Amino acid sequence: MAPAQEPTQARPETRLAKVAVTALSASSIENYDFFIYGTAAALVFPQLFFPEQTALTSALLSFATFAVGFIARPLGGVLFGHIGDVHGRKKALIGALAGMGLASTLIGLMPTHSVIGVAAPILLVLLRFLQGIAVGGQLGGVVLLAMESAPPRKRGFFSSFAQAGGPGGIILGNLAFIAAIRFTSPAAFEAWGWRVPFLASAVLVWLAIHLQLRLEDTDAFRRLKQVKKPDAGRSPVLRAFRVHYKQIALVAAAYIGINVTYYLFMTFAVSYSTNSAILGLSKDTILLAVLVAAGVQLVLLPVSGAISDRIGRRAMLLAGSGMLCAFSFAFWPLLNTKSTFLILVAFIVGLGLMHTTMYGPQGAFFAEAFSTGLRYSGVSLGVQLGAVIGGAFAPLIATSLYAATGSSMSVAIYMAVVCAITFGAVLLMPETHLKDINEPVAAAEPAAASDPAH
């Protein structure tokens, strides 16, 4: 029997297109489920699950349940990282999607505080924890699905489709909430309208799983199995910590600014703008601004990824984090004007342009830092640790800062500091866009252990 040819040779364009579409759809659906919780936490969860508290206290408690999902994300990275490095990227991703669909559907069905009392917020926390486990395993799978199947000089472009699932999920989630708000009365929305976006996730996740079952595993993982069968008896997570501990730490630090600013845009800014005690804007106005900015980001992410294939990932992340650090001091004053036009400008510039500059190349940049046999575990651990330190408490910290100071300037400083952390971490990381990610397995792990830039 003739030896199998490498899948990257003479790869049909239709397969690449299918990989890109699948990465985008899977990531969008997973992020849709995770992000609609943040929108609900800002709009309805305070009064439905914490009705006995003041408006500010109930908002803080609601954002605390939001943070639980991030705390669970490293556990998901460990669990699905092991599955992905031992049994394949595709199996891990399908498991993560199924877990997210189950958790989101159950949130849509669960009773509120007025029905079962204190058991309601407890159940909400448990389901949010399950969401966190699922999303903790999703990112590594969807990025590697695209990046490991792409041609060597187009890894940034194709992995950006996995990143595009962030704004893709936001667009789907905001459209779902805008429709629910528009087509129900305020009383009906609070009673049952908010449940519809959660219940819809069951259908979307089924579609993603259907797509995943029609794809082969990635080229890099299949090469790994040809050279050396993954060792199910040795934990890839523990090996990743031993071999790639510096890369994991730097990825976590680099991800903090990317993650915090994203959730400040997507979650805290919604609460800040619609809170009657602060700006008191209509829900439609702020959701429209988020929707437009997410649309701009969705379009520009592949452009950002493609540029990183030419000039490098590192330069893009440094430029994006540096620009956003400075713009932090303009974003909140623009919101404070209460002008719909200026609010749109703030979101388009901050999220659509500056954040996209670093977010597009992020997936390829982080994944290329790890060897093939430990890549799913390494990138998942680095990103999810960064998410716990960063985005997990971003809305809570921002709300607390505003409550303590009564000024959005404190939030702007917080935003600038996390961008500076990302800038500093990226400075310490090597460029990766020309790296050969298909190094021989026998040499990959020892070399990585002695060379942090490998």
Side-chain angles (χ1 to χ4, degrees), residues 213-233:
L213 291 172
R214 298 173 66 88
L215 284 180
E216 297 176 339
D217 220 316
T218 69
D219 297 343
F221 185 77
R222 287 186 292 167
R223 285 195 194 92
L224 176 64
K225 291 195 294 183
Q226 290 174 2
V227 178
K228 173 184 175 183
K229 184 177 178 62
D231 188 353

Side-chain angles (χ1 to χ4, degrees), residues 161-319:
F161 285 90
Q163 302 303 114
I170 288 294
I171 290 172
L172 289 174
N174 279 348
L175 286 175
F177 269 98
I178 289 172
I181 291 170
R182 283 291 180 91
F183 293 107
T184 61
S185 65
F189 177 75
E190 188 170 315
W192 58 267
W194 66 271
R195 299 179 183 274
V196 176
F198 287 94
L199 296 175
S201 65
V203 177
L204 294 175
V205 172
W206 175 87
L207 175 61
I209 293 174
H210 176 72
L211 288 172
Q212 291 301 317
L213 291 172
R214 298 173 66 88
L215 284 180
E216 297 176 339
D217 220 316
T218 69
D219 297 343
F221 185 77
R222 287 186 292 167
R223 285 195 194 92
L224 176 64
K225 291 195 294 183
Q226 290 174 2
V227 178
K228 173 184 175 183
K229 184 177 178 62
D231 188 353
R234 298 173 60 200
S235 169
V237 174
L238 295 178
R239 284 186 289 140
F241 271 120
R242 177 176 58 84
V243 175
H244 291 304
Y245 63 92
K246 290 184 179 179
Q247 292 95 320
I248 290 173
L250 287 172
V251 165
Y255 190 61
I256 287 174
I258 300 172
N259 195 235
V260 167
T261 54
Y262 205 68
Y263 282 98
L264 291 179
F265 287 133
M266 295 300 185
T267 301
F268 175 73
V270 174
S271 176
Y272 175 84
S273 301
T274 58
N275 192 314
S276 59
I278 305 176
L279 296 185
L281 298 175
S282 70
K283 295 174 182 177
D284 283 358
T285 297
I286 193 65
L287 290 181
L288 175 63
V290 171
L291 185 63
V292 171
V296 172
Q297 186 170 55
L298 182 63
V299 171
L300 293 184
L301 274 169
V303 177
S304 176
I307 293 174
S308 78
D309 285 324
R310 291 181 175 272
I311 70 171
R313 329 285 188 216
R314 189 169 176 267
M316 296 290 286
L317 269 81
L318 289 174

